[in-house]
Amino acid sequence: MSCICIACDVMHSRQLDKKQLLEALLNCADSMNEEWKEELLVPFDVRNGDELIGVLNSYSLGYIAAEKISRTLAADGIYLYIGLGIGELETANSTIHTMNGSAVLNAIDARDLFLKKNHPKSKYWQLNEENSSFFFHSEKLPYQSLNALTYSIHEKIINQSDKQKEVIKMVEKDKEATYEEIGTRLGYKSPKSTISYLLSRSNYHTVVEMRNSLIQLLDYLQKPAEKEEG
């Protein structure tokens, strides 16, 4: 079946407290398994103390889930190599220890062969070590196009200032609020213009449109694979 495997490995895991790291990974796995239970083909679980792996049935939702993992663990100062393998799952009702298929192999390659070894095909798409890096891999799809778009999105996000991030968080939390209302809550003298300026400087609307484009592309790419299965 057509799917996406997410294979995460913690950067510099030996420098982190093993007990705290394992607890953070397990908590993240539990949270993801609850949130994405309808889409999961293989539940998220921890392997070897510093890997988090799972499989979803939707390419686009798999990317969204990977973003969520990245944000969740970054809050604990944990950054990841995130391999996103697009392909098939050959084993039904499996675990991360028993699963097999091209999606799994592609995810592991994306993480270990490309990201961790700074392969020439991935070195241009890696962020700095204070941010997680994403890498798509597929034998049948133009995966570098996905990586280029993903990198462009996250490069803009990591360059946002704390003040810009605060505004973006409020805008996304209360989508009905006007810029005037949000700026007033934050105590700005010129509420509307200040919020508009901060969002513009943060490339917020560009990021939103690029992310929507990536999600649409992933959905589009999955349709031929589903037809082949049918």
mmCIF file of all heavy atoms in Angstrom, residues 123-154:
data_model
loop_
_atom_site.group_PDB
_atom_site.id
_atom_site.type_symbol
_atom_site.label_atom_id
_atom_site.label_comp_id
_atom_site.label_asym_id
_atom_site.label_seq_id
_atom_site.Cartn_x
_atom_site.Cartn_y
_atom_site.Cartn_z
ATOM 1 N N LYS A 123 23.200 17.882 1.006
ATOM 2 C CA LYS A 123 23.914 18.905 1.773
ATOM 3 C C LYS A 123 23.353 20.301 1.563
ATOM 4 O O LYS A 123 23.456 21.154 2.451
ATOM 5 C CB LYS A 123 25.403 18.870 1.456
ATOM 6 C CG LYS A 123 25.779 19.275 0.041
ATOM 7 C CD LYS A 123 27.296 19.222 -0.131
ATOM 8 C CE LYS A 123 27.723 19.660 -1.529
ATOM 9 N NZ LYS A 123 29.202 19.627 -1.663
ATOM 10 N N TYR A 124 22.737 20.561 0.420
ATOM 11 C CA TYR A 124 22.177 21.894 0.160
ATOM 12 C C TYR A 124 20.848 22.100 0.877
ATOM 13 O O TYR A 124 20.369 23.231 0.985
ATOM 14 C CB TYR A 124 21.993 22.098 -1.342
ATOM 15 C CG TYR A 124 23.288 22.027 -2.101
ATOM 16 C CD1 TYR A 124 23.569 20.942 -2.931
ATOM 17 C CD2 TYR A 124 24.267 23.018 -1.974
ATOM 18 C CE1 TYR A 124 24.768 20.861 -3.630
ATOM 19 C CE2 TYR A 124 25.463 22.945 -2.663
ATOM 20 C CZ TYR A 124 25.705 21.865 -3.488
ATOM 21 O OH TYR A 124 26.899 21.784 -4.168
ATOM 22 N N TRP A 125 20.241 21.011 1.361
ATOM 23 C CA TRP A 125 18.915 21.096 1.979
ATOM 24 C C TRP A 125 18.975 20.925 3.492
ATOM 25 O O TRP A 125 17.936 20.795 4.133
ATOM 26 C CB TRP A 125 17.985 20.031 1.387
ATOM 27 C CG TRP A 125 17.993 19.943 -0.101
ATOM 28 C CD1 TRP A 125 18.116 18.804 -0.848
ATOM 29 C CD2 TRP A 125 17.855 21.006 -1.054
ATOM 30 N NE1 TRP A 125 18.084 19.091 -2.185
ATOM 31 C CE2 TRP A 125 17.923 20.445 -2.345
ATOM 32 C CE3 TRP A 125 17.697 22.387 -0.940
ATOM 33 C CZ2 TRP A 125 17.824 21.199 -3.506
ATOM 34 C CZ3 TRP A 125 17.612 23.151 -2.100
ATOM 35 C CH2 TRP A 125 17.665 22.557 -3.355
ATOM 36 N N GLN A 126 20.168 20.938 4.072
ATOM 37 C CA GLN A 126 20.274 20.758 5.516
ATOM 38 C C GLN A 126 20.318 22.115 6.224
ATOM 39 O O GLN A 126 21.021 23.033 5.797
ATOM 40 C CB GLN A 126 21.521 19.948 5.865
ATOM 41 C CG GLN A 126 21.474 18.532 5.317
ATOM 42 C CD GLN A 126 22.164 17.539 6.226
ATOM 43 O OE1 GLN A 126 21.996 17.578 7.433
ATOM 44 N NE2 GLN A 126 22.936 16.632 5.640
ATOM 45 N N LEU A 127 19.573 22.199 7.316
ATOM 46 C CA LEU A 127 19.572 23.399 8.143
ATOM 47 C C LEU A 127 20.706 23.294 9.152
ATOM 48 O O LEU A 127 21.427 22.294 9.206
ATOM 49 C CB LEU A 127 18.220 23.547 8.830
ATOM 50 C CG LEU A 127 17.022 23.635 7.859
ATOM 51 C CD1 LEU A 127 15.708 23.555 8.621
ATOM 52 C CD2 LEU A 127 17.086 24.914 7.042
ATOM 53 N N ASN A 128 20.876 24.319 9.981
ATOM 54 C CA ASN A 128 21.948 24.244 10.978
ATOM 55 C C ASN A 128 21.585 23.260 12.084
ATOM 56 O O ASN A 128 20.461 22.745 12.141
ATOM 57 C CB ASN A 128 22.243 25.643 11.557
ATOM 58 C CG ASN A 128 21.024 26.260 12.223
ATOM 59 O OD1 ASN A 128 20.346 25.629 13.019
ATOM 60 N ND2 ASN A 128 20.750 27.512 11.905
ATOM 61 N N GLU A 129 22.530 22.985 12.971
ATOM 62 C CA GLU A 129 22.354 21.927 13.966
ATOM 63 C C GLU A 129 21.449 22.322 15.130
ATOM 64 O O GLU A 129 21.217 21.529 16.027
ATOM 65 C CB GLU A 129 23.717 21.468 14.485
ATOM 66 C CG GLU A 129 24.541 20.768 13.405
ATOM 67 C CD GLU A 129 25.798 20.132 13.958
ATOM 68 O OE1 GLU A 129 26.143 20.406 15.122
ATOM 69 O OE2 GLU A 129 26.415 19.349 13.219
ATOM 70 N N GLU A 130 20.930 23.536 15.107
ATOM 71 C CA GLU A 130 19.950 23.940 16.113
ATOM 72 C C GLU A 130 18.535 23.869 15.536
ATOM 73 O O GLU A 130 17.597 24.462 16.075
ATOM 74 C CB GLU A 130 20.256 25.355 16.613
ATOM 75 C CG GLU A 130 21.551 25.424 17.410
ATOM 76 C CD GLU A 130 21.810 26.815 17.968
ATOM 77 O OE1 GLU A 130 21.014 27.719 17.675
ATOM 78 O OE2 GLU A 130 22.801 26.963 18.695
ATOM 79 N N ASN A 131 18.406 23.131 14.446
ATOM 80 C CA ASN A 131 17.111 22.891 13.819
ATOM 81 C C ASN A 131 17.110 21.496 13.203
ATOM 82 O O ASN A 131 18.148 20.993 12.780
ATOM 83 C CB ASN A 131 16.836 23.922 12.717
ATOM 84 C CG ASN A 131 16.660 25.320 13.263
ATOM 85 O OD1 ASN A 131 15.584 25.703 13.690
ATOM 86 N ND2 ASN A 131 17.750 26.093 13.264
ATOM 87 N N SER A 132 15.944 20.881 13.173
ATOM 88 C CA SER A 132 15.827 19.584 12.515
ATOM 89 C C SER A 132 15.897 19.755 11.008
ATOM 90 O O SER A 132 15.461 20.769 10.470
ATOM 91 C CB SER A 132 14.494 18.928 12.901
ATOM 92 O OG SER A 132 14.445 18.648 14.286
ATOM 93 N N SER A 133 16.455 18.746 10.330
ATOM 94 C CA SER A 133 16.508 18.752 8.868
ATOM 95 C C SER A 133 15.616 17.645 8.317
ATOM 96 O O SER A 133 15.575 16.535 8.858
ATOM 97 C CB SER A 133 17.939 18.542 8.381
ATOM 98 O OG SER A 133 18.715 19.703 8.565
ATOM 99 N N PHE A 134 14.900 17.958 7.229
ATOM 100 C CA PHE A 134 13.995 17.018 6.590
ATOM 101 C C PHE A 134 14.580 16.584 5.239
ATOM 102 O O PHE A 134 15.194 17.381 4.542
ATOM 103 C CB PHE A 134 12.638 17.677 6.317
ATOM 104 C CG PHE A 134 11.931 18.207 7.538
ATOM 105 C CD1 PHE A 134 12.331 19.400 8.141
ATOM 106 C CD2 PHE A 134 10.850 17.528 8.089
ATOM 107 C CE1 PHE A 134 11.675 19.900 9.252
ATOM 108 C CE2 PHE A 134 10.181 18.020 9.203
ATOM 109 C CZ PHE A 134 10.598 19.208 9.782
ATOM 110 N N PHE A 135 14.333 15.316 4.872
ATOM 111 C CA PHE A 135 14.761 14.877 3.536
ATOM 112 C C PHE A 135 13.819 13.796 3.016
ATOM 113 O O PHE A 135 13.655 12.739 3.630
ATOM 114 C CB PHE A 135 16.184 14.340 3.564
ATOM 115 C CG PHE A 135 16.794 14.173 2.193
ATOM 116 C CD1 PHE A 135 17.312 15.267 1.516
ATOM 117 C CD2 PHE A 135 16.821 12.932 1.574
ATOM 118 C CE1 PHE A 135 17.858 15.128 0.237
ATOM 119 C CE2 PHE A 135 17.368 12.781 0.303
ATOM 120 C CZ PHE A 135 17.890 13.884 -0.363
ATOM 121 N N PHE A 136 13.172 14.088 1.893
ATOM 122 C CA PHE A 136 12.324 13.112 1.212
ATOM 123 C C PHE A 136 13.180 12.223 0.313
ATOM 124 O O PHE A 136 14.159 12.673 -0.280
ATOM 125 C CB PHE A 136 11.305 13.825 0.309
ATOM 126 C CG PHE A 136 10.137 14.436 1.024
ATOM 127 C CD1 PHE A 136 10.186 15.761 1.430
ATOM 128 C CD2 PHE A 136 8.985 13.689 1.264
ATOM 129 C CE1 PHE A 136 9.098 16.342 2.063
ATOM 130 C CE2 PHE A 136 7.896 14.270 1.896
ATOM 131 C CZ PHE A 136 7.942 15.594 2.299
ATOM 132 N N HIS A 137 12.760 10.954 0.207
ATOM 133 C CA HIS A 137 13.411 10.075 -0.763
ATOM 134 C C HIS A 137 12.381 9.117 -1.346
ATOM 135 O O HIS A 137 11.516 8.599 -0.643
ATOM 136 C CB HIS A 137 14.533 9.267 -0.113
ATOM 137 C CG HIS A 137 15.312 8.442 -1.093
ATOM 138 N ND1 HIS A 137 15.805 8.941 -2.269
ATOM 139 C CD2 HIS A 137 15.665 7.125 -1.077
ATOM 140 C CE1 HIS A 137 16.447 8.000 -2.929
ATOM 141 N NE2 HIS A 137 16.365 6.879 -2.228
ATOM 142 N N SER A 138 12.474 8.924 -2.662
ATOM 143 C CA SER A 138 11.584 8.007 -3.376
ATOM 144 C C SER A 138 12.293 7.553 -4.634
ATOM 145 O O SER A 138 13.036 8.316 -5.261
ATOM 146 C CB SER A 138 10.267 8.712 -3.741
ATOM 147 O OG SER A 138 9.511 7.914 -4.636
ATOM 148 N N GLU A 139 12.062 6.308 -5.013
ATOM 149 C CA GLU A 139 12.681 5.785 -6.226
ATOM 150 C C GLU A 139 11.896 6.182 -7.479
ATOM 151 O O GLU A 139 12.434 6.138 -8.588
ATOM 152 C CB GLU A 139 12.765 4.257 -6.136
ATOM 153 C CG GLU A 139 13.645 3.772 -4.990
ATOM 154 C CD GLU A 139 13.479 2.284 -4.726
ATOM 155 O OE1 GLU A 139 12.479 1.719 -5.203
ATOM 156 O OE2 GLU A 139 14.332 1.709 -4.041
ATOM 157 N N LYS A 140 10.637 6.592 -7.304
ATOM 158 C CA LYS A 140 9.778 6.821 -8.464
ATOM 159 C C LYS A 140 9.352 8.276 -8.640
ATOM 160 O O LYS A 140 8.816 8.630 -9.687
ATOM 161 C CB LYS A 140 8.520 5.948 -8.349
ATOM 162 C CG LYS A 140 8.799 4.455 -8.334
ATOM 163 C CD LYS A 140 7.512 3.665 -8.231
ATOM 164 C CE LYS A 140 7.784 2.160 -8.244
ATOM 165 N NZ LYS A 140 6.511 1.377 -8.157
ATOM 166 N N LEU A 141 9.568 9.110 -7.645
ATOM 167 C CA LEU A 141 9.091 10.491 -7.696
ATOM 168 C C LEU A 141 10.253 11.480 -7.721
ATOM 169 O O LEU A 141 11.365 11.150 -7.299
ATOM 170 C CB LEU A 141 8.205 10.777 -6.474
ATOM 171 C CG LEU A 141 6.964 9.898 -6.312
ATOM 172 C CD1 LEU A 141 6.229 10.260 -5.034
ATOM 173 C CD2 LEU A 141 6.047 10.031 -7.512
ATOM 174 N N PRO A 142 10.014 12.704 -8.203
ATOM 175 C CA PRO A 142 11.062 13.747 -8.219
ATOM 176 C C PRO A 142 11.285 14.288 -6.805
ATOM 177 O O PRO A 142 10.899 15.412 -6.490
ATOM 178 C CB PRO A 142 10.472 14.799 -9.167
ATOM 179 C CG PRO A 142 8.993 14.658 -8.998
ATOM 180 C CD PRO A 142 8.749 13.193 -8.789
ATOM 181 N N TYR A 143 11.944 13.481 -5.973
ATOM 182 C CA TYR A 143 12.039 13.796 -4.550
ATOM 183 C C TYR A 143 12.847 15.063 -4.265
ATOM 184 O O TYR A 143 12.612 15.736 -3.256
ATOM 185 C CB TYR A 143 12.624 12.614 -3.772
ATOM 186 C CG TYR A 143 14.048 12.250 -4.109
ATOM 187 C CD1 TYR A 143 15.107 12.810 -3.393
ATOM 188 C CD2 TYR A 143 14.341 11.335 -5.103
ATOM 189 C CE1 TYR A 143 16.417 12.470 -3.683
ATOM 190 C CE2 TYR A 143 15.648 10.994 -5.402
ATOM 191 C CZ TYR A 143 16.690 11.560 -4.694
ATOM 192 O OH TYR A 143 17.989 11.226 -4.982
ATOM 193 N N GLN A 144 13.769 15.427 -5.150
ATOM 194 C CA GLN A 144 14.548 16.635 -4.892
ATOM 195 C C GLN A 144 13.690 17.899 -4.996
ATOM 196 O O GLN A 144 13.987 18.910 -4.354
ATOM 197 C CB GLN A 144 15.749 16.718 -5.835
ATOM 198 C CG GLN A 144 16.869 15.728 -5.511
ATOM 199 C CD GLN A 144 17.591 16.054 -4.208
ATOM 200 O OE1 GLN A 144 16.977 16.335 -3.193
ATOM 201 N NE2 GLN A 144 18.918 16.022 -4.243
ATOM 202 N N SER A 145 12.635 17.839 -5.778
ATOM 203 C CA SER A 145 11.709 18.972 -5.834
ATOM 204 C C SER A 145 11.029 19.148 -4.480
ATOM 205 O O SER A 145 10.831 20.278 -4.005
ATOM 206 C CB SER A 145 10.656 18.748 -6.918
ATOM 207 O OG SER A 145 11.250 18.653 -8.185
ATOM 208 N N LEU A 146 10.675 18.045 -3.858
ATOM 209 C CA LEU A 146 10.063 18.091 -2.526
ATOM 210 C C LEU A 146 11.052 18.648 -1.506
ATOM 211 O O LEU A 146 10.686 19.442 -0.636
ATOM 212 C CB LEU A 146 9.614 16.693 -2.110
ATOM 213 C CG LEU A 146 8.561 16.024 -2.999
ATOM 214 C CD1 LEU A 146 8.338 14.580 -2.559
ATOM 215 C CD2 LEU A 146 7.253 16.805 -2.966
ATOM 216 N N ASN A 147 12.302 18.234 -1.625
ATOM 217 C CA ASN A 147 13.314 18.705 -0.677
ATOM 218 C C ASN A 147 13.617 20.189 -0.842
ATOM 219 O O ASN A 147 13.825 20.903 0.135
ATOM 220 C CB ASN A 147 14.596 17.877 -0.835
ATOM 221 C CG ASN A 147 14.411 16.460 -0.344
ATOM 222 O OD1 ASN A 147 13.723 16.222 0.633
ATOM 223 N ND2 ASN A 147 15.009 15.507 -1.038
ATOM 224 N N ALA A 148 13.633 20.644 -2.080
ATOM 225 C CA ALA A 148 13.895 22.058 -2.325
ATOM 226 C C ALA A 148 12.802 22.923 -1.710
ATOM 227 O O ALA A 148 13.079 23.958 -1.073
ATOM 228 C CB ALA A 148 13.990 22.320 -3.824
ATOM 229 N N LEU A 149 11.560 22.510 -1.880
ATOM 230 C CA LEU A 149 10.442 23.277 -1.335
ATOM 231 C C LEU A 149 10.428 23.213 0.187
ATOM 232 O O LEU A 149 10.214 24.227 0.865
ATOM 233 C CB LEU A 149 9.127 22.740 -1.911
ATOM 234 C CG LEU A 149 7.845 23.521 -1.615
ATOM 235 C CD1 LEU A 149 8.020 25.001 -1.904
ATOM 236 C CD2 LEU A 149 6.694 22.952 -2.437
ATOM 237 N N THR A 150 10.683 22.035 0.743
ATOM 238 C CA THR A 150 10.721 21.880 2.200
ATOM 239 C C THR A 150 11.812 22.746 2.812
ATOM 240 O O THR A 150 11.599 23.423 3.829
ATOM 241 C CB THR A 150 10.964 20.398 2.570
ATOM 242 O OG1 THR A 150 9.952 19.593 1.975
ATOM 243 C CG2 THR A 150 10.929 20.204 4.081
ATOM 244 N N TYR A 151 12.988 22.735 2.212
ATOM 245 C CA TYR A 151 14.097 23.548 2.712
ATOM 246 C C TYR A 151 13.745 25.033 2.664
ATOM 247 O O TYR A 151 14.006 25.775 3.628
ATOM 248 C CB TYR A 151 15.353 23.286 1.888
ATOM 249 C CG TYR A 151 16.514 24.181 2.262
ATOM 250 C CD1 TYR A 151 17.306 23.896 3.378
ATOM 251 C CD2 TYR A 151 16.805 25.314 1.515
ATOM 252 C CE1 TYR A 151 18.361 24.724 3.728
ATOM 253 C CE2 TYR A 151 17.858 26.142 1.858
ATOM 254 C CZ TYR A 151 18.632 25.839 2.967
ATOM 255 O OH TYR A 151 19.668 26.677 3.316
ATOM 256 N N SER A 152 13.166 25.479 1.573
ATOM 257 C CA SER A 152 12.815 26.893 1.433
ATOM 258 C C SER A 152 11.826 27.333 2.508
ATOM 259 O O SER A 152 11.927 28.436 3.049
ATOM 260 C CB SER A 152 12.213 27.144 0.042
ATOM 261 O OG SER A 152 13.156 26.874 -0.964
ATOM 262 N N ILE A 153 10.885 26.468 2.816
ATOM 263 C CA ILE A 153 9.895 26.768 3.857
ATOM 264 C C ILE A 153 10.579 26.939 5.202
ATOM 265 O O ILE A 153 10.389 27.932 5.911
ATOM 266 C CB ILE A 153 8.836 25.648 3.940
ATOM 267 C CG1 ILE A 153 7.969 25.647 2.675
ATOM 268 C CG2 ILE A 153 7.970 25.808 5.193
ATOM 269 C CD1 ILE A 153 7.090 24.421 2.539
ATOM 270 N N HIS A 154 11.392 25.967 5.578
ATOM 271 C CA HIS A 154 11.966 25.970 6.929
ATOM 272 C C HIS A 154 13.115 26.973 7.077
ATOM 273 O O HIS A 154 13.370 27.456 8.182
ATOM 274 C CB HIS A 154 12.382 24.554 7.314
ATOM 275 C CG HIS A 154 11.212 23.668 7.556
ATOM 276 N ND1 HIS A 154 10.542 23.629 8.762
ATOM 277 C CD2 HIS A 154 10.534 22.840 6.728
ATOM 278 C CE1 HIS A 154 9.526 22.794 8.675
ATOM 279 N NE2 HIS A 154 9.495 22.307 7.453
#
